[in-house]
Amino acid sequence: MTHVSERSGAGSSPTGAGDDRQPWTAGTGRTTRKRSVSYADAGVSIEAGDRAVELLKSKVKQTRRPEVMGDLGGFAGLFRLDTKKYKNPILASSTDGVGTKLVIAQQMDIHDTVGIDLVAMVVDDLVACGAEPLFLLDYIATGEVVPDRVAEIGAGIADGCRYAGCALLGGETAEHPGVLRPDEYDISATGVGVVEESEILSPERVEVGDVVIAMRSSGLHSNGYSLVRHVLLGAGRMRLDVVIEDFGRQRTLGEELLTPTKIYAQDCLKLIAEAEVRSIAHVTGGGIPGNLVRILPEHVDAVVNRSTWKPQPIFDLIQSKGRIEDPEMEATFNMGVGMFAIVSAEDADRALATLAGRGVDAWPAGEIIEGTGNVQMIGQHTRG
């Protein structure tokens, strides 16, 4: 993570003369002295940015991979791709953010989890095509650089990179006074991965008779928070510090809403190595139907049986408070499933055993049948 800002040119002369030259004031015919204006006067503290980077260095080093070259502070991050591991290496890239989940983090003044969300949104898109995440670059824009807060955000990003097995190669922290409030920030990241060309997961691999395996989400993940805030905090007038009995462990609404997004990258890479995986869908905006349909060829349908799992209580709370219809819920939220893997029927048991061995809650949720490239949602979720 780096902080790069334009430095003030106060006190310099366009002709290169010394400081004895005085500014010229139009219309007076003489020179006058006035107080020099600094970058800090405009609301930007280079020192605060540098301090934030220093606080983060130890965390970033924990994400280092053997291919990383150099250290933090350069103009670009360097990564030596081991081309000997591949016959035809294909680079994959993904860019994403966290969305309005950040509003909850800012209201609760908890900033060490949204970085995990950010990494998850990026690396789990990469692994959906079979790519191993190699490195990630982040971007933090804030109204005021508060070093400890930026360090908390960055620590979450570094933790997410460790979970995903990728390096945090660099990034940028930008101070935007007058655009964002001092306590406001937004974050985004770009990740790069690599996959052997012959092993790219794609809809063309999916066949009739394949099994659809679901992997449980950790909750809402990072989608639908504008609707969540409208329903629960707006119209519902709920407080973030209220304890919800259904959540268990004296858990508050705010804590539930800030549950970090589960990162599946390493689990899916292991699954790909152990079983015949046809394709993988990362369930983000658009919900289960909107994302699963992206990995289907035109001659098949995916049948997903809702009765095979029970969504977490947060989904019931949102739906009941907002009186939201089922189709709207399924088009907005993951409803308890963060990833789908379509595997051959012969390897379904092996796939489930591999995921169970990694502590992933997974189950057969449906099958692939002849069709026209659609997702059929059948059955009803278990309630209560």
Side-chain angles (χ1 to χ4, degrees), residues 201-219:
L201 303 182
S202 66
E204 289 71 27
R205 290 174 173 256
V206 177
E207 299 177 2
V208 172
D210 287 344
V211 176
V212 179
I213 291 178
M215 299 176 224
R216 185 170 295 278
S217 68
S218 55

Side-chain angles (χ1 to χ4, degrees), residues 46 80 123 142 170 199 217 223-224 246 256 265 276 316 332 338 344:
I46 295 172
R80 179 184 284 111
V123 299
T142 181
E199 297 176 5
S217 68
N223 297 103
D246 288 345
E256 177 66 28
E276 182 62 34
D316 286 336
T332 306
S344 67

Side-chain angles (χ1 to χ4, degrees), residues 81-329:
L81 180 63
D82 185 1
T83 56
K84 295 179 181 178
K85 290 174 58 177
Y86 309 90
K87 292 181 179 179
N88 294 296
I90 301 297
L91 294 179
S93 64
S94 176
T95 296
D96 214 330
V98 177
T100 60
K101 186 173 186 175
L102 295 177
V103 176
I104 307 297
Q106 290 159 25
Q107 289 176 340
M108 295 189 67
D109 196 24
I110 296 175
H111 314 287
D112 60 351
T113 60
V114 290
I116 298 173
D117 294 302
L118 177 63
V119 176
M121 297 298 287
V122 173
V123 299
D124 286 339
D125 276 356
L126 292 175
V127 80
C129 71
E132 174 192 1
L134 297 176
F135 59 83
L136 182 135
L137 300 166
D138 65 22
Y139 180 81
I140 303 173
T142 181
E144 178 183 353
V145 171
V146 178
D148 288 341
R149 184 172 62 209
V150 172
E152 287 182 47
I153 299 168
I157 297 172
D159 285 340
C161 286
R162 286 195 298 107
Y163 304 153
C166 67
L168 181 52
L169 197 58
E172 166 74 352
T173 301
E175 199 163 27
H176 291 171
V179 178
L180 298 170
R181 293 196 308 267
D183 60 340
E184 283 184 329
Y185 59 84
D186 196 7
I187 59 178
S188 64
T190 296
V192 173
V194 63
V195 59
E196 183 69 60
E197 184 174 10
S198 62
E199 297 176 5
I200 296 174
L201 303 182
S202 66
E204 289 71 27
R205 290 174 173 256
V206 177
E207 299 177 2
V208 172
D210 287 344
V211 176
V212 179
I213 291 178
M215 299 176 224
R216 185 170 295 278
S217 68
S218 55
L220 290 171
H221 284 185
S222 298
N223 297 103
Y225 274 77
S226 293
L227 179 56
V228 169
R229 289 167 45 241
H230 173 72
V231 168
L232 300 184
L233 307 182
R237 297 185 179 181
M238 296 184 69
R239 292 170 53 94
L240 291 172
D241 60 358
V242 65
V243 174
I244 306 296
E245 184 177 347
D246 288 345
F247 295 164
R249 303 189 308 278
Q250 292 294 301
R251 191 169 172 83
T252 67
L253 174 62
E255 289 169 337
E256 177 66 28
L257 295 181
L258 284 186
T259 301
T261 304
K262 181 171 176 55
I263 295 176
Y264 302 89
Q266 290 298 307
D267 303 317
C268 287
L269 289 174
K270 182 65 173 178
L271 178 63
I272 292 167
E274 296 292 332
E276 182 62 34
V277 178
R278 311 291 200 193
S279 59
I280 292 176
H282 184 197
V283 184
T284 55
I288 292 173
N291 286 282
L292 193 52
V293 73
R294 297 165 65 181
I295 61 169
L296 298 177
E298 293 183 355
H299 65 281
V300 306
D301 281 1
V303 179
V304 176
N305 192 336
R306 301 183 187 91
S307 68
T308 60
W309 82 93
K310 177 182 177 181
Q312 293 91 334
I314 184 63
F315 297 104
D316 286 336
L317 177 65
I318 294 167
Q319 185 165 20
S320 61
K321 284 286 187 180
R323 301 178 182 176
I324 303 172
E325 299 291 337
D326 288 343
E328 183 68 18
M329 289 292 294

Side-chain angles (χ1 to χ4, degrees), residues 3 7 45-55 145:
H3 178 77
R7 294 187 178 271
S45 172
I46 295 172
E47 291 76 14
D50 292 341
R51 173 61 178 157
V53 172
E54 286 300 317
L55 291 173
V145 171

Side-chain angles (χ1 to χ4, degrees), residues 39-73:
Y39 209 179
D41 292 328
V44 177
S45 172
I46 295 172
E47 291 76 14
D50 292 341
R51 173 61 178 157
V53 172
E54 286 300 317
L55 291 173
L56 275 170
K57 278 188 175 180
S58 63
K59 272 286 190 178
V60 174
K61 285 181 178 178
Q62 294 175 21
T63 74
R64 191 178 180 93
R65 289 173 51 126
E67 303 97 327
V68 175
M69 302 171 63
D71 204 349
L72 290 176

